[in-house]
PDB file of all heavy atoms in Angstrom:
ATOM      1  N   LEU A 173     176.058 -16.728  83.896  1.00 93.00           N
ATOM      2  CA  LEU A 173     174.919 -17.634  83.770  1.00 93.00           C
ATOM      3  C   LEU A 173     175.380 -19.079  83.637  1.00 93.00           C
ATOM      4  O   LEU A 173     174.791 -20.000  84.240  1.00 93.00           O
ATOM      5  CB  LEU A 173     174.069 -17.231  82.563  1.00 93.00           C
ATOM      6  CG  LEU A 173     173.325 -15.893  82.678  1.00 93.00           C
ATOM      7  CD1 LEU A 173     172.609 -15.565  81.381  1.00 93.00           C
ATOM      8  CD2 LEU A 173     172.329 -15.941  83.830  1.00 93.00           C
ATOM      9  N   VAL A 174     176.422 -19.308  82.859  1.00 94.00           N
ATOM     10  CA  VAL A 174     176.937 -20.670  82.695  1.00 94.00           C
ATOM     11  C   VAL A 174     177.518 -21.180  84.007  1.00 94.00           C
ATOM     12  O   VAL A 174     177.340 -22.349  84.377  1.00 94.00           O
ATOM     13  CB  VAL A 174     177.987 -20.710  81.569  1.00 94.00           C
ATOM     14  CG1 VAL A 174     178.667 -22.071  81.503  1.00 94.00           C
ATOM     15  CG2 VAL A 174     177.339 -20.391  80.232  1.00 94.00           C
ATOM     16  N   GLY A 175     178.217 -20.301  84.744  1.00 92.00           N
ATOM     17  CA  GLY A 175     178.753 -20.696  86.043  1.00 92.00           C
ATOM     18  C   GLY A 175     177.657 -21.059  87.029  1.00 92.00           C
ATOM     19  O   GLY A 175     177.771 -22.037  87.783  1.00 92.00           O
ATOM     20  N   MET A 176     176.578 -20.282  87.044  1.00 92.00           N
ATOM     21  CA  MET A 176     175.446 -20.602  87.918  1.00 92.00           C
ATOM     22  C   MET A 176     174.781 -21.902  87.499  1.00 92.00           C
ATOM     23  O   MET A 176     174.298 -22.666  88.348  1.00 92.00           O
ATOM     24  CB  MET A 176     174.438 -19.449  87.884  1.00 92.00           C
ATOM     25  CG  MET A 176     174.945 -18.151  88.468  1.00 92.00           C
ATOM     26  SD  MET A 176     175.467 -18.303  90.198  1.00 92.00           S
ATOM     27  CE  MET A 176     173.920 -18.727  90.966  1.00 92.00           C
ATOM     28  N   LEU A 177     174.745 -22.181  86.211  1.00 93.00           N
ATOM     29  CA  LEU A 177     174.197 -23.454  85.739  1.00 93.00           C
ATOM     30  C   LEU A 177     175.033 -24.625  86.236  1.00 93.00           C
ATOM     31  O   LEU A 177     174.491 -25.647  86.692  1.00 93.00           O
ATOM     32  CB  LEU A 177     174.135 -23.460  84.210  1.00 93.00           C
ATOM     33  CG  LEU A 177     173.643 -24.760  83.557  1.00 93.00           C
ATOM     34  CD1 LEU A 177     172.215 -25.075  83.989  1.00 93.00           C
ATOM     35  CD2 LEU A 177     173.738 -24.650  82.029  1.00 93.00           C
ATOM     36  N   GLY A 178     176.354 -24.498  86.164  1.00 91.00           N
ATOM     37  CA  GLY A 178     177.223 -25.549  86.689  1.00 91.00           C
ATOM     38  C   GLY A 178     177.043 -25.735  88.181  1.00 91.00           C
ATOM     39  O   GLY A 178     177.036 -26.871  88.688  1.00 91.00           O
ATOM     40  N   SER A 179     176.867 -24.629  88.910  1.00 91.00           N
ATOM     41  CA  SER A 179     176.628 -24.731  90.346  1.00 91.00           C
ATOM     42  C   SER A 179     175.300 -25.422  90.632  1.00 91.00           C
ATOM     43  O   SER A 179     175.208 -26.251  91.553  1.00 91.00           O
ATOM     44  CB  SER A 179     176.639 -23.329  90.962  1.00 91.00           C
ATOM     45  OG  SER A 179     176.313 -23.373  92.326  1.00 91.00           O
ATOM     46  N   TYR A 180     174.263 -25.091  89.867  1.00 91.00           N
ATOM     47  CA  TYR A 180     172.952 -25.727  90.084  1.00 91.00           C
ATOM     48  C   TYR A 180     173.028 -27.239  89.863  1.00 91.00           C
ATOM     49  O   TYR A 180     172.445 -28.013  90.633  1.00 91.00           O
ATOM     50  CB  TYR A 180     171.916 -25.123  89.152  1.00 91.00           C
ATOM     51  CG  TYR A 180     170.674 -25.981  89.044  1.00 91.00           C
ATOM     52  CD1 TYR A 180     169.779 -26.071  90.109  1.00 91.00           C
ATOM     53  CD2 TYR A 180     170.420 -26.716  87.886  1.00 91.00           C
ATOM     54  CE1 TYR A 180     168.655 -26.876  90.022  1.00 91.00           C
ATOM     55  CE2 TYR A 180     169.309 -27.516  87.791  1.00 91.00           C
ATOM     56  CZ  TYR A 180     168.417 -27.599  88.863  1.00 91.00           C
ATOM     57  OH  TYR A 180     167.307 -28.407  88.779  1.00 91.00           O
ATOM     58  N   ILE A 181     173.735 -27.654  88.838  1.00 91.00           N
ATOM     59  CA  ILE A 181     173.840 -29.095  88.567  1.00 91.00           C
ATOM     60  C   ILE A 181     174.485 -29.806  89.745  1.00 91.00           C
ATOM     61  O   ILE A 181     174.037 -30.886  90.176  1.00 91.00           O
ATOM     62  CB  ILE A 181     174.633 -29.332  87.264  1.00 91.00           C
ATOM     63  CG1 ILE A 181     173.832 -28.838  86.065  1.00 91.00           C
ATOM     64  CG2 ILE A 181     174.993 -30.805  87.102  1.00 91.00           C
ATOM     65  CD1 ILE A 181     174.568 -28.918  84.749  1.00 91.00           C
ATOM     66  N   ASN A 182     175.530 -29.213  90.310  1.00 89.00           N
ATOM     67  CA  ASN A 182     176.200 -29.837  91.454  1.00 89.00           C
ATOM     68  C   ASN A 182     175.324 -29.823  92.701  1.00 89.00           C
ATOM     69  O   ASN A 182     175.259 -30.809  93.443  1.00 89.00           O
ATOM     70  CB  ASN A 182     177.515 -29.108  91.734  1.00 89.00           C
ATOM     71  CG  ASN A 182     178.326 -29.750  92.825  1.00 89.00           C
ATOM     72  OD1 ASN A 182     178.239 -29.362  93.992  1.00 89.00           O
ATOM     73  ND2 ASN A 182     179.118 -30.753  92.476  1.00 89.00           N
ATOM     74  N   VAL A 183     174.618 -28.704  92.943  1.00 88.00           N
ATOM     75  CA  VAL A 183     173.737 -28.619  94.104  1.00 88.00           C
ATOM     76  C   VAL A 183     172.574 -29.596  93.965  1.00 88.00           C
ATOM     77  O   VAL A 183     172.194 -30.283  94.922  1.00 88.00           O
ATOM     78  CB  VAL A 183     173.230 -27.174  94.280  1.00 88.00           C
ATOM     79  CG1 VAL A 183     172.120 -27.105  95.328  1.00 88.00           C
ATOM     80  CG2 VAL A 183     174.371 -26.257  94.678  1.00 88.00           C
ATOM     81  N   HIS A 184     171.994 -29.677  92.783  1.00 87.00           N
ATOM     82  CA  HIS A 184     170.872 -30.591  92.559  1.00 87.00           C
ATOM     83  C   HIS A 184     171.305 -32.045  92.713  1.00 87.00           C
ATOM     84  O   HIS A 184     170.552 -32.882  93.229  1.00 87.00           O
ATOM     85  CB  HIS A 184     170.295 -30.361  91.166  1.00 87.00           C
ATOM     86  CG  HIS A 184     169.172 -31.292  90.823  1.00 87.00           C
ATOM     87  ND1 HIS A 184     167.915 -31.174  91.375  1.00 87.00           N
ATOM     88  CD2 HIS A 184     169.126 -32.379  89.998  1.00 87.00           C
ATOM     89  CE1 HIS A 184     167.129 -32.134  90.900  1.00 87.00           C
ATOM     90  NE2 HIS A 184     167.841 -32.872  90.065  1.00 87.00           N
TER      91      HIS A 184
END
Side-chain angles (χ1 to χ4, degrees):
L173 292 176
V174 173
M176 294 302 296
L177 177 61
S179 176
Y180 164 72
I181 292 175
N182 185 266
V183 170
H184 178 73

